[in-house]
Amino acid sequence: MKSLGIGLIGTGFMGKAHALAFGAARAVMGDVPESHLAVLCDTPKEKAKQMADQFGFAKCTDDWTALVSDPDVDIVSITTPNTLHFDMAIAAIKAGKHVYCEKPLALTLDQAREMRDTARKAGVKTMVGYNYIKNPAFSHACRLVQNGEIGDIVHFRGWVDEDYQADPALPWTWRAKLADAGLGALGDMGCHLVSMAYGLAGPIDSLIADMQTIHTTRPLADGTGRAKVENEDTASALVRFTNGAHGSLSTSRSAWGRKNRLAWEVHGTKGMLCFDQERMNELHLYRNSGDKAQRGFTTILTGPAHPPYGEFCPAPGHQLGFNDLKVIEASALLRSIRDDSTPYPDFEHAYEFEKAIHAIAISAKSGTRVSLSEV
Amino acid sequence: MKSLGIGLIGTGFMGKAHALAFGAARAVMGDVPESHLAVLCDTPKEKAKQMADQFGFAKCTDDWTALVSDPDVDIVSITTPNTLHFDMAIAAIKAGKHVYCEKPLALTLDQAREMRDTARKAGVKTMVGYNYIKNPAFSHACRLVQNGEIGDIVHFRGWVDEDYQADPALPWTWRAKLADAGLGALGDMGCHLVSMAYGLAGPIDSLIADMQTIHTTRPLADGTGRAKVENEDTASALVRFTNGAHGSLSTSRSAWGRKNRLAWEVHGTKGMLCFDQERMNELHLYRNSGDKAQRGFTTILTGPAHPPYGEFCPAPGHQLGFNDLKVIEASALLRSIRDDSTPYPDFEHAYEFEKAIHAIAISAKSGTRVSLSEV
Amino acid sequence: MKSLGIGLIGTGFMGKAHALAFGAARAVMGDVPESHLAVLCDTPKEKAKQMADQFGFAKCTDDWTALVSDPDVDIVSITTPNTLHFDMAIAAIKAGKHVYCEKPLALTLDQAREMRDTARKAGVKTMVGYNYIKNPAFSHACRLVQNGEIGDIVHFRGWVDEDYQADPALPWTWRAKLADAGLGALGDMGCHLVSMAYGLAGPIDSLIADMQTIHTTRPLADGTGRAKVENEDTASALVRFTNGAHGSLSTSRSAWGRKNRLAWEVHGTKGMLCFDQERMNELHLYRNSGDKAQRGFTTILTGPAHPPYGEFCPAPGHQLGFNDLKVIEASALLRSIRDDSTPYPDFEHAYEFEKAIHAIAISAKSGTRVSLSEV
Amino acid sequence: MKSLGIGLIGTGFMGKAHALAFGAARAVMGDVPESHLAVLCDTPKEKAKQMADQFGFAKCTDDWTALVSDPDVDIVSITTPNTLHFDMAIAAIKAGKHVYCEKPLALTLDQAREMRDTARKAGVKTMVGYNYIKNPAFSHACRLVQNGEIGDIVHFRGWVDEDYQADPALPWTWRAKLADAGLGALGDMGCHLVSMAYGLAGPIDSLIADMQTIHTTRPLADGTGRAKVENEDTASALVRFTNGAHGSLSTSRSAWGRKNRLAWEVHGTKGMLCFDQERMNELHLYRNSGDKAQRGFTTILTGPAHPPYGEFCPAPGHQLGFNDLKVIEASALLRSIRDDSTPYPDFEHAYEFEKAIHAIAISAKSGTRVSLSEV
């Protein structure tokens, strides 16, 4: 198989993460097709040039349409602000490229649906950056659930909190504008939580929700006054899963002290599993078995017993980091192209995840229960 | 002031806790009026006798009406099953006694209201066993909030979980019957959580909720079949506080591994406070101040800096236990009688707390937002 | 059996703890002989009177020799500064009383030995306040070790740290004077650690040690200069147990942030147990059994499965506090008197524990290995 | 500056870590000279070929002497078993190459000294794989210490434990043989701990130590009997630092449940810092300042405020992993070559660290205090 050419759009947080991931995937995993960093796009051109040099891309451009149509590019990685995902993804798919897009797919569910449908029709491979579900700790949790280790799943609770919008003095930015950012905390973080809920408790059937904008206006950076914050700082939902389990989901971008608290607990009829991304190499398991005097939550440190941890490090407890999750994600995409298999999560799955965050926003406005089949 | 005579009804978990609390209150606190263990009531008589001997009560009876009218009794402690609280409390109040009643006040809000109104009219002192709010860690958290240490309160999340009904094989008991037990997890535990939410974020304005019975039937103990579980295993609510904060409350009695996880986090515009009763001597505080590189959650171990911890132990970190909380509670009642002041929480406050759990049940059934002013 | 009369000398930290413990023991345990608070001694008389009133003692005195010889007193509780233990204990034993003495027995090992020998000869019951070994979590750990749950014990590490002498600005007190305080951190805390090491790994055979006085002088309280600190702020020892295990013990009274960090880990050929008194209701257990992917340290929350927790509270996870440990200790003494059995730990056991701290001091001075059989 | 050619010897745990580190260093850091994966050496040749393909090396060989003399190689990375480090490093230095060697430098201190002296004379850059001191959390701890944030350093305690030799049933391997493995736990892990102690408390002046071989023989893999374990399973030392601080160091390779517990606490006159590699993105800080009721250990999650975390990820709390530490290490070497500066830790520093582990072994055998100046 020929080496797959990577075209990366964006060089920020996620742009660098993608570049590093493709750079390391084959060295880490072995069993991953070859790829090379073909084209990098950013603006202005000078920025693109500098980062192409740093990341090791062969070419650079400030025109993403050029990247998308470049014959050296087999996979288009989209790491730009959310508002740009739609046009880029549609163009890339139409150019016959595989697409690796950061979450959420788009600002609106309509756009997301169109992205999904376009990819489906084109038959290209897609992958969406729900990297936290690539954590060996999470994969292990899913295996434990599937093996019935904690019995039937009856309840799920999840939270995802950060504090990047907690400071009332922070100036107004595009993040606060519906037209540019779409949803607030739900789009930034809530969809990650949904992706984990799906893996552990399955699809959501219906929900009822509430949202809150804590800091309703913010000072303009130029000191000329204040502007309105149009999207939510927090959102919470009471959910019912199709399997009958109940649960709740909450997110806040104004939770002082939380840096990446993507945490959940899944209750089964025989035990419980808990996780917190701020300690991403640990999984907590309780089982109602054995001597009562010895029961308790077991803190499982991930290691080679939790694939693909061992590809990174043969010694348990040495720990993976955030960027390693992207390596696992990129590897999954590369393999799916080689094997002509369906990567997880692709645009189909991402669309399902994102239906939930839009359903939360709808319910929060209407004040009534929303069925996901009607969204 | 003459020594106050204690009349205790019930010798189970809470009965013993009350006996120990009155036995220790003055020795611990110093500044508490004298009391003595006057009359103990339980059935059968033999049980009452044995426990009176063990606890050190002067007299015993198997007739609670006798206890209530006994002139040696100044304070009636009610620690019987919830269904009995109402009759006992009303009778005690009518006999002119002060009443120390375990939570919840009654099975229905109507009964709770009548208890409150009767006590109000009689002018006796009342106290309700919301012991977790007597924890020095909790009092300190409330002080920090009141002093503005974490800014304006904008969000509150709380959970209270145990696993005493998690095992599907547990036989059916009166706990599962509405007429005998009233609410399930909400009545057993949820009201404790509400009492903490009130202290930290103030009164709840409205809420929307959902409930779930996980184990819908349970085997009869005599092996003759199965009976229906009529109340909830879990309940969750999205709440709005009167101060504008949002939040959520969740409880489960079927959460494997949780033994007394009464936990909450309160989000302010300047910081956050977190607590978990399973580590009841710790309080976690984050403040957005000082050098960014040194910020994080501080684990405060309670000690003499957190009154009345120092009355139990002059050394920090040595830890209080569950029964010590009852000592603080009993002391508060004894002082309020001496000082003719209003104890906290009395029937008035408890009624407010319990409105919330009934509102949750109502909303869970109706599927719509419930305003607490309408309950 | 007639009610046992308690004579308590001292009303400070430990004095109150003893008073509370005797006050609660029978109510908590049931199966404990009756006792009553007979005589309290403190100076000045006024203090004794006030505290007798608060604690509920029938009589009070400022003359401990009167208390010791009072016919109403069956058990003499000694909670005075360490330098007074010897005279009081010897006098009490000679008066035929049972003795409950706080640790350490005495300032010197010679005195401790004489106390032990005197008690042995008199045949009275003795108990020494090594309360931490009364923790249900500790008893459970010992049972697990004895049952071979973690295999053969091969290593033990322990630490006991506080910060009450960490502040360089603290004024000089009697605590710093050898003649008044004897050992420093070793006497205050180190002996507690030894008592735990003995329970888990057995007697110490030999050790080699080092000590350090961090703050070599301290300001006099009256501002007239500085005085010398004559005893150790920290001590550490490398130990060999008679069973062949190795290990280490460390203590510091100048460890900022530590409030009662009496912590240990015991390594077996099949697993490990860990504990930290600052979370005294938790025990951590690792076993090399079962699926490797599910192994980890299990956090066991103490509960009714760990006697005598259930005597205090029938619900797990509700937590015991420091004063509850004294209740267990006092109960053990009361039962041993009733049953004419040997309480644990009595003067014999305490003498063994305290040999180790004196051996540490000797080795730290000589710089050579010290065999405990030669101390 | 021309791209630096990497010659890597070994493709195991550390071999892969080096390959990944050089592959990512410039993309992560930007400010790092270019390098390329030039030559990979392993045996047999087929293995070298396969891994060169996986890691992306241009050439491969099964002859390390060829690699060392290859003109395309500027830096020789040595990740082979410890017994081979000496010959390879000496040859590489003599060939004028810079050397990146895994720890420990050699089996004996004499060899380590010769490696140091040879490198010193040749003037090449060297780096030794003490990767844990490259953790942003550790660098931050060192900065806090240097800034006097916790006052004068008065005590240090450290532990480094794993359980890879805990199972008594594990077969005998070369690890158990002095001639092949040299020291046991001290060489594998203890030297890492020393490297951290140096950074926080400075050089060690003298120490007294003890060692233990728990499993004195192990079964031969071929079932023909048992062979002797010639090196230590555990080692512990009481140390005195040149700055007057005391402390202790302990290591075990037979500590069930410990996967990479490289943990320490450093006590200052104004506060304390604690760390555990099993939660490598957290640093715990206590300071004796501010309101006493709000004091406690603060858990600092590493983030962009702790360089060079921000090079990996602009968002705090997202976490670095073990392999990221090697990226920081490799970057330091690459920069030192570009800048002609002294990298840390080079052979000089590593020699100092390793003196301590040999001193521990010497003292454990002699039973007497060993001064590091005499080793």
Side-chain angles (χ1 to χ4, degrees):
Chain A
M1 180 178 191
K2 83 167 184 87
S3 173
L4 294 160
I6 309 301
L8 170 61
I9 317 178
T11 63
F13 184 175
M14 281 302 129
K16 184 185 263 194
H18 281 228
L20 291 170
F22 283 114
R26 191 148 186 270
V28 169
M29 300 289 180
D31 174 32
V32 156
E34 245 179 286
S35 68
H36 60 281
L37 303 176
V39 188
L40 180 67
C41 173
D42 204 346
T43 55
K45 186 70 186 287
E46 193 45 44
K47 178 74 181 292
K49 199 161 175 308
Q50 179 202 331
M51 298 314 291
D53 175 62
Q54 176 173 335
F55 292 168
F57 276 83
K59 293 191 277 190
C60 68
T61 175
D62 60 353
D63 173 8
W64 66 263
T65 63
L67 178 147
V68 158
S69 60
D70 192 309
D72 290 353
V73 168
D74 299 291
I75 297 168
V76 175
S77 261
I78 303 171
T79 70
T80 51
N82 302 343
T83 187
L84 302 172
H85 291 182
F86 177 77
D87 284 348
M88 290 172 175
I90 296 289
I93 294 167
K94 290 195 169 159
K97 311 299 189 186
H98 306 295
V99 178
Y100 181 7
C101 185
E102 275 308 310
K103 44 57 56 186
L105 284 172
L107 295 200
T108 69
L109 198 56
D110 283 344
Q111 285 186 324
R113 194 182 307 108
E114 190 174 335
M115 288 165 74
R116 179 198 66 175
D117 293 344
T118 307
R120 190 189 280 172
K121 198 148 69 178
V124 299
K125 304 302 177 194
T126 57
M127 170 65 74
V128 188
Y130 283 99
N131 33 69
Y132 298 114
I133 59 178
K134 296 305 183 184
N135 188 335
F138 184 74
S139 304
H140 188 60
C142 292
R143 265 192 308 275
L144 290 171
V145 167
Q146 283 151 19
N147 295 345
E149 202 74 46
I150 61 166
D152 298 329
I153 302 310
V154 292
H155 209 80
F156 176 91
R157 295 199 195 125
W159 311 270
V160 51
D161 295 337
E162 298 195 14
D163 63 3
Y164 61 93
Q165 295 290 307
D167 190 344
L170 277 183
W172 187 94
T173 67
W174 63 271
R175 280 185 179 285
K177 200 169 166 187
L178 266 177
D180 291 348
L183 295 170
L186 284 169
D188 279 359
M189 297 175 293
C191 54
H192 278 302
L193 179 57
V194 173
S195 75
M196 296 186 113
Y198 263 72
L200 295 161
I204 294 169
D205 179 66
S206 70
L207 56 81
I208 191 153
D210 205 2
M211 299 197 310
Q212 166 192 28
T213 303
I214 292 171
H215 308 291
T216 52
T217 64
R218 288 195 174 274
L220 289 167
D222 61 9
T224 60
R226 301 182 69 86
K228 202 183 165 199
V229 175
E230 298 174 350
N231 50 22
E232 78 286 357
D233 285 323
T234 83
S236 302
L238 306 178
V239 302
R240 293 181 187 170
F241 293 89
T242 56
N243 70 358
H246 280 209
S248 54
L249 307 174
S250 296
T251 183
S252 172
R253 63 184 182 188
S254 298
W256 274 120
R258 302 310 191 188
K259 301 308 175 186
N260 195 13
R261 189 169 154 78
L262 172 53
W264 48 259
E265 54 186 47
V266 55
H267 304 210
T269 51
K270 292 185 184 173
M272 190 185 290
L273 279 161
C274 308
F275 173 81
D276 178 353
Q277 174 68 22
E278 286 185 354
R279 288 179 173 166
M280 63 174 268
N281 290 276
E282 299 179 12
L283 185 66
H284 302 271
L285 170 63
Y286 183 95
R287 279 179 297 190
N288 74 326
S289 60
D291 185 339
K292 279 195 180 187
Q294 266 79 280
R295 287 189 203 165
F297 278 92
T298 297
T299 300
I300 302 169
L301 283 182
T302 45
H306 313 99
Y309 176 103
E311 306 300 330
F312 293 88
C313 178
H318 280 56
Q319 300 183 50
L320 304 191
F322 176 82
N323 284 329
D324 295 328
L325 305 183
K326 296 307 266 192
V327 173
I328 302 174
E329 193 170 77
S331 299
L333 175 58
L334 292 168
R335 285 181 180 129
S336 77
I337 294 170
R338 179 191 61 196
D339 305 340
D340 195 15
S341 62
T342 303
Y344 185 85
D346 70 0
F347 282 14
E348 308 269 353
H349 310 110
Y351 174 72
E352 295 303 315
F353 302 159
E354 296 174 23
K355 260 213 295 206
I357 58 170
H358 290 283
I360 290 172
I362 292 166
S363 172
K365 269 160 212 152
S366 72
T368 57
R369 181 167 291 273
V370 168
S371 169
L372 262 73
S373 62
E374 294 161 10
V375 173
Chain B
M1 181 176 189
K2 84 167 183 88
S3 174
L4 294 159
I6 309 299
L8 169 62
I9 318 178
T11 63
F13 184 176
M14 281 302 128
K16 185 185 264 192
H18 281 229
L20 291 170
F22 283 113
R26 190 147 186 272
V28 169
M29 300 289 179
D31 173 34
V32 156
E34 244 179 289
S35 68
H36 60 281
L37 303 176
V39 188
L40 180 67
C41 173
D42 204 347
T43 56
K45 185 72 187 288
E46 193 45 44
K47 177 76 181 290
K49 199 162 176 309
Q50 177 201 333
M51 298 315 291
D53 176 62
Q54 176 172 335
F55 293 168
F57 276 82
K59 291 190 276 189
C60 68
T61 175
D62 61 354
D63 174 7
W64 66 262
T65 64
L67 178 146
V68 157
S69 60
D70 192 309
D72 291 353
V73 168
D74 299 291
I75 296 169
V76 175
S77 261
I78 303 171
T79 70
T80 51
N82 302 342
T83 187
L84 302 172
H85 292 182
F86 178 78
D87 285 347
M88 291 172 174
I90 297 289
I93 294 167
K94 291 194 170 160
K97 311 298 189 189
H98 306 294
V99 179
Y100 181 7
C101 185
E102 274 308 309
K103 43 59 56 185
L105 284 173
L107 296 199
T108 68
L109 198 56
D110 283 343
Q111 286 186 324
R113 193 182 308 109
E114 189 174 336
M115 288 164 75
R116 180 198 66 177
D117 293 344
T118 308
R120 190 188 280 173
K121 198 149 67 178
V124 299
K125 304 301 176 195
T126 57
M127 169 67 71
V128 189
Y130 284 98
N131 33 69
Y132 299 114
I133 59 178
K134 296 304 184 184
N135 187 335
F138 183 75
S139 304
H140 188 60
C142 292
R143 265 192 308 275
L144 289 171
V145 166
Q146 282 150 18
N147 295 346
E149 202 75 46
I150 60 166
D152 297 329
I153 302 309
V154 293
H155 208 80
F156 176 90
R157 294 198 196 126
W159 311 269
V160 52
D161 295 336
E162 298 194 15
D163 63 3
Y164 61 93
Q165 294 291 305
D167 191 342
L170 278 183
W172 187 92
T173 68
W174 63 269
R175 281 186 178 283
K177 200 171 165 184
L178 267 177
D180 290 349
L183 295 170
L186 283 169
D188 279 359
M189 299 174 291
C191 54
H192 278 302
L193 179 57
V194 172
S195 74
M196 296 185 113
Y198 263 73
L200 295 160
I204 294 169
D205 179 66
S206 70
L207 56 82
I208 189 152
D210 204 3
M211 299 198 310
Q212 167 193 28
T213 303
I214 292 172
H215 307 292
T216 52
T217 64
R218 288 194 173 275
L220 290 167
D222 61 8
T224 60
R226 302 182 68 87
K228 201 182 166 197
V229 175
E230 298 175 350
N231 50 21
E232 78 286 357
D233 285 322
T234 83
S236 302
L238 306 179
V239 301
R240 293 182 187 168
F241 293 89
T242 58
N243 69 358
H246 280 209
S248 55
L249 308 174
S250 296
T251 182
S252 172
R253 65 184 182 187
S254 297
W256 275 119
R258 303 310 193 190
K259 301 308 176 187
N260 195 12
R261 189 170 154 77
L262 172 52
W264 47 259
E265 55 186 47
V266 56
H267 304 210
T269 51
K270 291 185 184 173
M272 191 186 290
L273 278 162
C274 308
F275 173 82
D276 178 354
Q277 173 68 22
E278 287 184 355
R279 288 179 173 166
M280 64 174 266
N281 290 276
E282 299 179 13
L283 185 65
H284 302 270
L285 170 63
Y286 183 96
R287 281 178 295 190
N288 72 327
S289 59
D291 185 339
K292 279 194 179 187
Q294 266 80 277
R295 288 190 202 166
F297 278 91
T298 296
T299 300
I300 301 169
L301 284 181
T302 43
H306 313 99
Y309 176 103
E311 305 300 330
F312 293 88
C313 178
H318 280 57
Q319 299 183 50
L320 303 191
F322 176 82
N323 284 329
D324 296 328
L325 306 183
K326 296 306 269 191
V327 173
I328 302 174
E329 193 170 78
S331 298
L333 174 60
L334 291 168
R335 285 181 181 130
S336 77
I337 294 169
R338 179 192 60 198
D339 304 340
D340 194 15
S341 61
T342 303
Y344 185 86
D346 70 1
F347 283 12
E348 308 270 352
H349 310 110
Y351 175 72
E352 295 303 316
F353 302 159
E354 296 174 22
K355 260 212 298 206
I357 58 171
H358 290 282
I360 290 172
I362 292 166
S363 173
K365 269 160 211 151
S366 72
T368 56
R369 180 167 293 274
V370 169
S371 168
L372 262 74
S373 62
E374 294 160 11
V375 172
Chain C
M1 181 177 191
K2 82 167 184 88
S3 174
L4 294 159
I6 309 299
L8 169 62
I9 317 179
T11 63
F13 183 176
M14 282 301 129
K16 185 184 263 194
H18 281 229
L20 291 170
F22 283 114
R26 191 146 186 272
V28 169
M29 300 289 180
D31 174 32
V32 157
E34 244 179 289
S35 68
H36 60 281
L37 303 176
V39 188
L40 180 67
C41 173
D42 204 347
T43 55
K45 186 73 187 287
E46 193 45 44
K47 176 75 179 291
K49 198 161 178 305
Q50 178 202 333
M51 298 315 290
D53 175 62
Q54 176 172 334
F55 292 168
F57 275 83
K59 293 191 276 191
C60 67
T61 176
D62 60 354
D63 173 8
W64 67 263
T65 63
L67 177 146
V68 156
S69 60
D70 193 309
D72 290 353
V73 168
D74 299 290
I75 297 169
V76 175
S77 261
I78 302 172
T79 70
T80 51
N82 302 343
T83 187
L84 301 172
H85 292 182
F86 178 77
D87 285 347
M88 291 172 174
I90 296 289
I93 294 167
K94 291 195 170 161
K97 311 298 189 187
H98 306 295
V99 178
Y100 182 7
C101 184
E102 275 308 309
K103 43 60 54 186
L105 284 172
L107 295 200
T108 68
L109 198 55
D110 282 344
Q111 286 186 324
R113 193 181 307 110
E114 189 173 337
M115 288 164 76
R116 180 198 66 176
D117 293 344
T118 307
R120 190 188 280 173
K121 199 149 67 177
V124 299
K125 304 300 175 195
T126 57
M127 169 67 72
V128 188
Y130 284 98
N131 33 69
Y132 299 114
I133 60 178
K134 296 304 183 185
N135 187 336
F138 183 75
S139 304
H140 188 59
C142 292
R143 264 192 309 276
L144 290 171
V145 166
Q146 282 150 19
N147 294 345
E149 202 74 47
I150 60 166
D152 297 329
I153 302 309
V154 293
H155 209 79
F156 176 90
R157 295 198 196 126
W159 311 269
V160 52
D161 295 336
E162 298 194 14
D163 64 4
Y164 61 92
Q165 295 290 307
D167 191 343
L170 279 183
W172 187 94
T173 68
W174 63 270
R175 279 185 180 284
K177 199 169 167 186
L178 267 178
D180 290 349
L183 295 170
L186 284 168
D188 279 359
M189 299 174 292
C191 54
H192 278 302
L193 179 57
V194 172
S195 74
M196 296 185 113
Y198 263 72
L200 295 161
I204 294 170
D205 179 66
S206 70
L207 56 80
I208 190 153
D210 204 4
M211 299 198 310
Q212 166 192 29
T213 303
I214 292 171
H215 307 292
T216 51
T217 64
R218 289 194 173 275
L220 289 167
D222 61 9
T224 59
R226 302 182 69 85
K228 201 181 166 200
V229 175
E230 298 175 350
N231 50 21
E232 78 286 357
D233 284 322
T234 83
S236 302
L238 306 180
V239 302
R240 293 181 186 169
F241 293 88
T242 58
N243 70 358
H246 281 209
S248 54
L249 308 174
S250 297
T251 183
S252 172
R253 64 184 182 188
S254 298
W256 274 120
R258 302 309 192 189
K259 301 308 175 186
N260 195 13
R261 189 170 153 76
L262 173 52
W264 47 259
E265 56 186 45
V266 55
H267 303 211
T269 51
K270 292 184 183 174
M272 191 186 290
L273 279 162
C274 308
F275 173 81
D276 178 354
Q277 174 67 21
E278 287 184 354
R279 287 179 173 166
M280 64 174 267
N281 290 275
E282 299 179 13
L283 184 66
H284 302 270
L285 170 63
Y286 183 96
R287 280 179 296 191
N288 73 326
S289 60
D291 185 341
K292 279 195 178 185
Q294 266 80 278
R295 288 190 202 164
F297 278 91
T298 297
T299 300
I300 301 168
L301 284 181
T302 43
H306 313 100
Y309 176 103
E311 307 300 331
F312 293 88
C313 178
H318 280 57
Q319 300 183 49
L320 304 191
F322 176 81
N323 284 329
D324 296 328
L325 305 184
K326 297 306 269 191
V327 173
I328 302 174
E329 193 171 77
S331 299
L333 174 59
L334 292 168
R335 285 181 181 129
S336 77
I337 294 170
R338 178 192 62 197
D339 303 341
D340 193 16
S341 61
T342 303
Y344 185 86
D346 70 0
F347 282 14
E348 308 270 353
H349 310 109
Y351 174 72
E352 295 303 316
F353 302 159
E354 295 174 22
K355 260 212 298 206
I357 57 170
H358 290 282
I360 290 172
I362 292 166
S363 173
K365 267 160 214 152
S366 72
T368 56
R369 180 167 293 273
V370 169
S371 169
L372 262 74
S373 62
E374 295 159 13
V375 173
Chain D
M1 181 178 189
K2 84 170 182 86
S3 172
L4 294 161
I6 309 300
L8 169 62
I9 317 179
T11 63
F13 184 176
M14 281 302 129
K16 185 185 263 193
H18 281 229
L20 291 170
F22 282 114
R26 191 147 186 271
V28 169
M29 300 289 180
D31 174 32
V32 156
E34 243 178 288
S35 68
H36 60 280
L37 303 177
V39 187
L40 180 67
C41 173
D42 204 346
T43 55
K45 185 70 187 287
E46 193 46 43
K47 178 74 181 291
K49 198 161 176 309
Q50 178 201 332
M51 298 314 291
D53 176 62
Q54 176 172 335
F55 292 168
F57 276 83
K59 292 190 277 189
C60 68
T61 176
D62 60 353
D63 173 8
W64 66 263
T65 64
L67 178 147
V68 157
S69 59
D70 192 310
D72 290 354
V73 168
D74 299 292
I75 297 168
V76 175
S77 261
I78 302 172
T79 70
T80 51
N82 302 343
T83 187
L84 301 172
H85 292 182
F86 177 77
D87 285 348
M88 291 172 173
I90 296 290
I93 294 167
K94 290 194 170 160
K97 312 297 188 188
H98 306 294
V99 178
Y100 181 7
C101 184
E102 274 307 310
K103 43 59 55 187
L105 284 172
L107 295 200
T108 68
L109 199 56
D110 284 344
Q111 286 186 325
R113 194 182 307 108
E114 189 174 336
M115 288 165 75
R116 180 198 66 176
D117 293 345
T118 308
R120 190 189 280 172
K121 198 149 69 178
V124 299
K125 303 301 175 194
T126 57
M127 169 67 71
V128 188
Y130 283 98
N131 34 70
Y132 298 114
I133 59 178
K134 296 304 183 185
N135 188 335
F138 184 74
S139 304
H140 188 59
C142 292
R143 264 192 309 276
L144 290 171
V145 167
Q146 282 150 19
N147 295 346
E149 202 74 45
I150 60 166
D152 298 328
I153 301 310
V154 293
H155 208 80
F156 176 91
R157 295 199 196 125
W159 311 270
V160 51
D161 295 336
E162 298 195 14
D163 64 4
Y164 61 93
Q165 294 291 305
D167 191 343
L170 277 183
W172 187 94
T173 67
W174 63 269
R175 279 186 179 285
K177 201 170 165 185
L178 266 178
D180 290 348
L183 295 169
L186 283 169
D188 279 0
M189 299 174 292
C191 54
H192 278 302
L193 179 58
V194 173
S195 74
M196 295 185 114
Y198 263 72
L200 294 161
I204 293 170
D205 179 65
S206 70
L207 54 82
I208 190 154
D210 204 3
M211 299 198 309
Q212 167 192 29
T213 303
I214 292 171
H215 307 292
T216 51
T217 65
R218 288 194 174 274
L220 290 167
D222 61 9
T224 59
R226 301 183 69 87
K228 200 181 166 200
V229 175
E230 299 174 350
N231 50 23
E232 78 286 357
D233 284 323
T234 83
S236 301
L238 306 179
V239 302
R240 293 182 186 168
F241 293 89
T242 57
N243 70 358
H246 280 210
S248 55
L249 307 174
S250 297
T251 183
S252 172
R253 63 185 182 187
S254 298
W256 274 120
R258 303 308 192 190
K259 302 307 176 187
N260 195 13
R261 189 169 154 76
L262 171 53
W264 47 259
E265 55 186 47
V266 54
H267 304 209
T269 51
K270 292 184 183 173
M272 191 187 289
L273 279 162
C274 308
F275 173 82
D276 177 354
Q277 174 67 22
E278 287 184 354
R279 287 179 172 165
M280 62 174 267
N281 290 276
E282 299 180 11
L283 185 66
H284 302 271
L285 170 64
Y286 183 95
R287 279 179 297 191
N288 73 327
S289 60
D291 185 339
K292 279 196 180 187
Q294 265 80 278
R295 288 189 203 166
F297 278 91
T298 297
T299 300
I300 302 169
L301 284 181
T302 44
H306 313 99
Y309 175 103
E311 306 300 330
F312 293 88
C313 178
H318 280 57
Q319 300 183 48
L320 303 191
F322 176 82
N323 284 329
D324 295 329
L325 304 184
K326 296 306 267 191
V327 173
I328 302 174
E329 192 170 78
S331 299
L333 174 59
L334 292 169
R335 284 181 181 129
S336 77
I337 294 170
R338 179 191 61 197
D339 304 341
D340 195 15
S341 61
T342 303
Y344 185 86
D346 69 2
F347 282 13
E348 307 270 353
H349 311 110
Y351 174 72
E352 294 304 315
F353 301 159
E354 296 174 21
K355 260 212 297 207
I357 58 171
H358 290 283
I360 289 172
I362 292 167
S363 172
K365 269 161 212 151
S366 72
T368 57
R369 180 166 292 274
V370 168
S371 169
L372 262 74
S373 62
E374 295 160 11
V375 172

